[in-house]
Amino acid sequence: MNPIPSVRAFRPHEWRVYRDLRLRALEDSPDAFGMTFSEEKDRADAEWSNRLVSGADTRWNFPVVAELAGEAIGLAWGRIEPSEPEAAHLYQMWVDPRFRRLGAGQMLLRAVIDWAKRCGCSLSCLGCNMW
């Protein structure tokens, strides 16, 4: 029996988990993101912390993490542009290759879609360059 992942919103203090997942994603799938590993790897801890804190504490952002048995295995980031409040965008979606085919990707996507609906968005878009 395969274990089942879970998905939840990142907490503002979890910037190290976010940073580590983001860097793993950029290493694993360099062509899938608007930024590169080399552009992100040397960011100061304060930048990573500020990114997650500012994202997790607004109605315009929804950073989520997928976990399996307490291990962070994937991430996604939903964003609504204040100038276009009817559209929610999906950024930074990635699942560790070791944990693919367990449903984490679908769960991340569903979490962002559900959040967008709660925010009153009727349109979801795939984004590629948030930062």
Side-chain angles (χ1 to χ4, degrees):
M1 174 188 264
N2 284 337
I4 298 173
S6 61
V7 170
R8 63 171 176 80
F10 267 108
R11 295 176 194 102
H13 70 276
E14 295 178 307
W15 64 268
R16 286 179 185 87
V17 175
Y18 167 71
R19 176 199 60 203
D20 294 347
L21 277 173
R22 174 80 172 151
L23 292 176
R24 285 172 37 208
L26 292 169
E27 279 188 303
D28 174 67
S29 305
D31 297 329
F33 300 96
M35 299 295 284
T36 66
F37 177 80
S38 62
E39 291 171 315
E40 296 272 89
K41 71 179 175 63
D42 293 327
R43 288 192 185 278
D45 289 351
E47 289 182 68
W48 288 106
S49 177
N50 289 339
R51 183 185 291 182
L52 190 58
V53 167
S54 66
D57 282 344
T58 70
R59 93 176 243 355
W60 306 110
N61 292 282
F62 187 60
V64 290
V65 58
E67 298 174 310
L68 185 66
E71 181 179 353
I73 63 166
L75 78 160
W77 194 299
R79 177 156 174 79
I80 300 169
E81 294 297 331
S83 62
E84 189 183 15
E86 70 283 354
H89 301 267
L90 175 67
Y91 295 95
Q92 302 185 33
M93 187 163 159
W94 177 81
V95 175
D96 185 311
R98 299 172 297 148
F99 300 101
R100 291 179 184 162
R101 301 194 157 289
L102 297 177
Q106 291 177 347
M107 295 171 81
L108 288 163
L109 182 58
R110 174 54 48 201
V112 172
I113 290 170
D114 290 347
W115 164 79
K117 286 180 181 178
R118 287 191 306 273
C119 291
C121 294
S122 59
L123 174 66
S124 294
C125 305
L126 295 178
C128 64
N129 190 8
M130 179 173 170
W131 306 110

